[in-house]
């Protein structure tokens, strides 16, 4: 799938709500697939991006850690889960 699919999922081309789109992205664009328990975490990280709070500490689901911690900064979640398609404005439609 890759970046093109992530872009289509983020811009609504496939007609999915945000939770479903991110779930499809985490399961289809990552190997091994990312657990669906990370969907709310990813949405919170995207929200932090749009609120200019990339250092916000986001609690991770039980059994998941980041550098030995039970929380991770929003920027790390965005980078490691390739969520940039949800963190850019489409300038073609201005």
């Amino acid at each position: 799938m890759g970046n093109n699919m992530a872009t289509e999922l983020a811009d609504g081309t496939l007609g999915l709500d945000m939770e479903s789109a991110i779930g499809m992205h985490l399961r289809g664009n990552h190997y091994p697939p990312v657990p669906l328990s990370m969907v709310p975490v990813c949405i919170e990280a995207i929200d932090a991006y749009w609120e200019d709070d990339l250092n916000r500490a986001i609690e991770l689901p039980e059994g998941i850690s980041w550098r030995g911690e039970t929380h991770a900064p929003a920027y790390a979640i965005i980078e490691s889960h390739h969520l940039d398609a949800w963190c850019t404005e489409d300038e073609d439609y201005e």
Side-chain angles (χ1 to χ4, degrees):
M1 289 209 257
N3 192 43
N4 288 337
M5 180 60 97
T7 301
E8 290 177 2
L9 289 166
D11 71 14
T13 301
L14 301 178
L16 299 172
D17 60 62
M18 187 176 196
E19 287 182 1
S20 298
I22 291 176
M24 182 178 276
H25 169 68
L26 295 179
R27 303 296 288 172
N29 285 343
H30 294 88
Y31 186 84
V34 175
L36 292 176
S37 62
M38 286 297 293
V39 170
V41 173
C42 290
I43 291 172
E44 190 173 344
I46 293 165
D47 289 343
Y49 171 87
W50 288 108
E51 294 167 10
D52 293 322
D53 191 9
L54 287 173
N55 290 313
R56 180 185 303 167
I58 299 173
E59 195 66 28
L60 299 171
E62 187 174 331
I64 298 176
S65 64
W66 179 76
R67 298 184 179 177
E69 300 290 335
T70 60
H71 60 277
Y75 73 83
I77 295 166
I78 292 168
E79 288 174 5
S80 62
H81 295 90
H82 309 100
L83 300 173
D84 52 303
W86 283 269
C87 298
T88 58
E89 292 188 53
D90 191 346
E91 296 176 10
D92 293 338
Y93 297 103
E94 291 186 336

